[in-house]
Amino acid sequence: GKVQFSGTKTLTGRELEEGQFSFTLTDGEKTETVKNDKDGNFTFTEITYDETMLGEHTYTVTEVNDGKPGYTYDDAEYEIIVKVEDNGDGTLNVTYTVNGEENGAITFENEYKANGSVEFGGTKTLTGRDLAAYEFSFELIAADGNYKGFTKNDADGSYEFAPIRYTQEDAGKTFNYTVTEVNGGKPGYTYDDTEYEIIVKVEDNGDGTLNVTYTVNGEENGAITFENEYKAEGKVQFSGTKTLTGRELE
């Protein structure tokens, strides 16, 4: 009599490749390892029984955790119990259960998730007086309106927005943002009305990380700088009095 075990592998998050995952079948003494085909199927070698092997035989099927970055592995363990009986006509009756279910399915499910982030910042310069921390404000706005960042400068003129994080669903996409200075309208200051257009491209590295690249006004990793000036102005007017003796003053 003979029996052959097989199963299926599913992968979400990216396309499954042939030979990408491994699976083992063991009876405690012998172990066989096979890999999936491009459709996610895997099949172990056929097992043959003879009249000296009547009774029950126990096997275990598991997935091999290769530890590839970005992937979750299925830790399910399938116990297969094979029962071999003599039909009395030169054949053996071979039946089996998988985790207690007759001819049960063996399936493993994996997921792939890649993550990445990008952080934008720049510098502020001020002429005419010393720059103070938190004196100027800056906005980072997504073109689709789904993101808006706000920050202020440090005492040395640098500023940074909070990191923007991307997930597997963002791979293959581009994102557009603009960075501007907020015009606080403080007397004596001129504000920089420059608008920086940032285009972010997100790609999957295939190792659980996303490659995030960007251009600023068409320049790769371009600088984002704003320049302000302070000028104070004031006025004074002098007056006095004239007296004339001897005749009327005109």
Side-chain angles (χ1 to χ4, degrees), residues 5 57-62 74-82 96-108:
F5 304 115
H57 305 267
T58 301
Y59 305 87
T60 302
V61 176
T62 55
D74 196 329
D75 58 2
E77 185 173 294
Y78 291 93
E79 182 185 49
I80 303 175
I81 298 178
V82 176
Y96 69 90
T97 61
V98 178
N99 288 354
E101 180 183 354
E102 186 175 354
N103 300 331
I106 302 174
T107 60
F108 295 97

Side-chain angles (χ1 to χ4, degrees), residues 19 31-32 58 65 162 171:
T31 300
E32 180 185 11
T58 301
N65 188 334

Side-chain angles (χ1 to χ4, degrees), residues 20-174:
Q20 193 170 7
F21 296 96
S22 301
F23 312 89
T24 61
L25 171 68
T26 181
D27 61 3
E29 295 181 1
K30 297 179 180 179
T31 300
E32 180 185 11
T33 301
V34 298
K35 293 181 177 291
N36 63 280
D37 64 17
K38 63 182 181 63
D39 297 318
N41 303 310
F42 60 90
T43 304
F44 296 99
T45 303
E46 191 175 59
I47 302 173
T48 301
Y49 303 93
D50 60 30
E51 69 276 2
T52 66
M53 304 171 70
L54 300 178
E56 290 188 352
H57 305 267
T58 301
Y59 305 87
T60 302
V61 176
T62 55
E63 176 181 11
V64 178
N65 188 334
D66 295 320
K68 295 177 181 176
Y71 291 90
T72 61
Y73 288 83
D74 196 329
D75 58 2
E77 185 173 294
Y78 291 93
E79 182 185 49
I80 303 175
I81 298 178
V82 176
K83 188 174 182 180
V84 182
E85 299 174 303
D86 189 348
N87 290 323
D89 60 0
T91 62
L92 296 177
N93 184 39
V94 181
T95 59
Y96 69 90
T97 61
V98 178
N99 288 354
E101 180 183 354
E102 186 175 354
N103 300 331
I106 302 174
T107 60
F108 295 97
E109 299 177 0
N110 289 40
E111 186 177 13
Y112 176 80
K113 283 186 176 180
N115 296 281
S117 64
V118 66
E119 189 173 357
F120 300 115
T123 55
K124 154 63 64 179
T125 59
L126 177 64
T127 57
R129 63 170 297 177
D130 290 337
L131 179 67
Y134 313 122
E135 191 172 4
F136 297 95
S137 302
F138 312 90
E139 283 186 329
L140 170 65
I141 301 175
D144 59 8
N146 290 330
Y147 179 86
K148 185 174 183 179
F150 182 83
T151 190
K152 290 178 176 288
N153 65 281
D154 292 334
D156 62 0
S158 63
Y159 64 89
E160 289 183 348
F161 294 99
I164 303 175
R165 306 191 184 281
Y166 302 95
T167 65
Q168 178 63 32
E169 290 72 22
D170 299 320
K173 298 179 181 178
T174 58

Side-chain angles (χ1 to χ4, degrees), residues 12-23:
T12 57
R14 67 173 302 178
E15 188 174 351
L16 180 66
E17 298 176 6
E18 182 176 357
Q20 193 170 7
F21 296 96
S22 301
F23 312 89

Side-chain angles (χ1 to χ4, degrees), residues 226-239:
F226 294 97
E227 299 177 1
N228 289 38
E229 187 177 10
Y230 175 79
K231 286 184 178 180
E233 295 181 344
K235 295 180 181 180
V236 67
Q237 190 172 21
F238 302 110
S239 60

